[in-house]
Amino acid sequence: MRTIRSRHRVSALAGVATALLALSACGQEGSPETAGGGTESSGGSSAAPTYAVASDVAITGSPTYDKITSAGKVVIGVKADQPGIGQKDPGSGEYAGFDIEMAKLMAAKLGLTPDQIEFVETVSANREPFLQQGTVDMVIASYTINDKRKEVVDFAGPYYVAGQDLLVRADDDSITGPDALAGKKVCSVEGSTPATRIRDEHPDATLVTFDAYSKCVQQLTSNAVDAVTTDDAILRGYAAQQPDALKVVGEPFSEEPYGIGLPKGDTVLRNTLNDAIEAAVSDGDWKKAYDFTLGGSGTDPEPPAVDRY
Ligand code: GLU
């Protein structure tokens, strides 16, 4: 793994030491043979993966990392209602999903243990404002990298590529793709790329928007709308919760490269996280994270190459 040099150290060394002890005790980390060995099976039934916490982290010239260091924690904006991606358990308050694993993975590469992550719920429309206002240090929330967003925030990644798709009622065979949406009510989320694409490219559809996709799913099951549109990875999570009632059409019609949103101009942190994503792909941690969360949905994608723009 690449060593990041220089002067700052994350302060909570006791926490790091405890985590390292715990990691070696359960024998999942620190051994080159187990890292990336491909022995974990897919699905969510196996034990949660753990990631080796870097002990020699030092980064110079990143205002965000300086803030993280002095706070002793990283504040990460994530989704709370997207199964498989970012979902908050209403009972325990714990978050789970691929984005949550990516958050733990990025934190580990910055020398932070999972208990040094503060998750803050974000919806699609407040991701840029949260980064601009410093409410969060980063956003890992099914967040498509695009040029418009790059005007106000920066992105590390992509760490995954999704595609826009449609969720419909299981007994509906009339909606086969976006061209069949004319005259139909389609639900999506304000501030998202899928909502923009329906507005721009499928104006014959009637777009209904909410702030979160789970509300769209309720609209679909109560027959108030005919379809929900967003990324296939998100829609598969909802379909899996109600397989008798819902299905994904399965004809993706866009590319949605997921990035880690960062405050604009923090090039040092962007480079650091790009290095961390590359390291996670080559040491097997990316696959562990994927298999534990989205892997059960029958897909086995190649991780994308990071874009060092
Ligand atoms: N990836 C798309 C976006 O960033 C849709 C998913 C979402 O809204 O979180 O807009």
Side-chain angles (χ1 to χ4, degrees):
M1 187 192 310
R2 181 178 178 277
T3 303
I4 303 151
R5 338 191 88 74
S6 114
R7 64 198 168 86
H8 288 118
R9 280 184 86 82
V10 172
S11 48
L13 287 174
V16 173
T18 310
L20 287 173
L21 260 178
L23 291 171
S24 57
C26 66
Q28 291 212 2
E29 289 290 348
S31 127
E33 304 88 71
T34 54
T39 50
E40 273 91 358
S41 60
S42 60
S45 54
S46 52
T50 53
Y51 309 105
V53 177
S55 56
D56 53 356
V57 179
I59 300 169
T60 306
S62 163
T64 313
Y65 186 73
D66 288 349
K67 188 178 157 208
I68 293 167
T69 307
S70 54
K73 65 173 183 184
V74 58
V75 184
I76 305 184
V78 295
K79 293 297 186 79
D81 71 331
Q82 297 178 189
I85 305 277
Q87 189 178 33
K88 187 177 184 177
D89 183 312
S92 67
E94 296 283 315
Y95 284 85
F98 186 53
D99 282 345
I100 307 308
E101 294 305 312
M102 286 305 299
K104 291 176 182 168
L105 196 39
M106 293 301 106
K109 305 272 187 205
L110 294 177
L112 297 153
T113 57
D115 62 0
Q116 290 177 289
I117 304 172
E118 183 186 327
F119 289 116
V120 170
E121 179 180 349
T122 184
V123 293
S124 300
N126 64 18
R127 291 174 294 192
E128 289 93 281
F130 273 19
L131 286 168
Q132 289 172 293
Q133 292 155 13
T135 311
V136 296
D137 300 317
M138 50 181 97
V139 167
I140 308 184
S142 56
Y143 200 7
T144 295
I145 302 171
N146 65 29
D147 288 343
K148 183 156 187 290
R149 291 173 178 167
K150 277 200 248 173
E151 288 170 14
V152 290
V153 300
D154 271 318
F155 289 99
Y159 60 88
Y160 181 74
V161 183
Q164 184 169 352
D165 211 323
L166 298 163
L167 182 74
V168 296
R169 286 182 290 274
D171 60 1
D172 184 346
D173 293 326
S174 69
I175 300 176
T176 48
D179 294 334
L181 290 175
K184 303 276 189 183
K185 278 194 187 162
V186 189
C187 192
S188 196
V189 160
E190 209 48 63
S192 73
T193 52
T196 303
R197 190 166 292 106
I198 295 296
R199 267 193 200 105
D200 293 350
E201 297 174 21
H202 301 281
D204 292 346
T206 303
L207 179 67
V208 178
T209 58
F210 287 86
D211 63 346
Y213 294 108
S214 50
K215 294 179 186 165
C216 283
V217 175
Q218 285 165 9
Q219 295 285 304
L220 182 61
T221 52
S222 66
N223 295 320
V225 301
D226 303 303
V228 177
T229 190
T230 186
D231 304 335
D232 49 5
I234 300 171
L235 297 177
R236 280 197 289 267
Y238 293 125
Q241 287 187 324
Q242 304 184 62
D244 295 337
L246 301 174
K247 65 180 180 190
V248 180
V249 169
E251 300 287 342
F253 50 98
S254 74
E255 283 211 340
E256 307 291 329
Y258 285 4
I260 300 176
L262 299 170
K264 181 138 185 81
D266 199 331
T267 310
V268 169
L269 188 59
R270 177 155 56 90
N271 289 336
T272 303
L273 295 186
N274 278 332
D275 292 345
I277 293 168
E278 281 180 347
V281 168
S282 57
D283 68 17
D285 280 350
W286 186 96
K287 181 149 175 50
K288 282 201 295 193
Y290 185 84
D291 285 349
F292 183 63
T293 53
L294 295 176
S297 52
T299 55
D300 191 12
E302 282 294 307
V306 301
D307 176 14
R308 293 177 184 270
Y309 64 87

